[in-house]
Amino acid sequence: MPMHMEMAHQGIFTGRGNVIALVPGKQQIVVGHEEIKGFMAAMPMGMGYPVESAELLNGLQPGDQVTFKIDAAKKQIIAIEKVH
């Protein structure tokens, strides 16, 4: 059965969640996140996203709480910040 996801095709959206895994070799991060209003339903078990640059992963580790900005057209995280 297909999963229904509300997805915008363009724009920059802000999400909040926690880091599940980092895949620097593929410039990817897996984030378990709350609903990203107007873009995607909550993905508490984690969703893999490419990052604009591998440097965005510097200083992050699994378990970190983060906020991030995602470019809907590219489905790519363009900014990420650890929540202290």
Side-chain angles (χ1 to χ4, degrees):
M1 195 169 217
M3 215 166 65
H4 246 333
M5 289 199 296
E6 165 192 340
M7 238 165 128
H9 297 290
Q10 56 188 349
I12 306 296
F13 295 86
T14 301
R16 181 181 182 94
N18 37 301
V19 177
I20 306 286
L22 302 167
V23 191
K26 292 187 175 176
Q27 280 191 213
Q28 280 191 330
I29 187 169
V30 179
V31 182
H33 61 76
E34 300 170 357
E35 176 186 2
I36 302 171
K37 290 235 182 269
F39 177 64
M40 185 178 285
M43 292 284 162
M45 297 305 288
M47 178 83 177
Y49 295 101
V51 292
E52 189 173 55
S53 147
E55 285 80 51
L56 291 175
L57 303 178
N58 290 347
L60 295 176
Q61 55 189 4
D64 285 346
Q65 293 282 322
V66 294
T67 58
F68 57 91
K69 292 196 182 300
I70 188 161
D71 181 326
K74 297 177 184 173
K75 294 182 185 71
Q76 180 180 65
I77 290 180
I78 58 171
I80 191 162
E81 193 173 301
K82 206 184 315 191
V83 178
H84 297 285

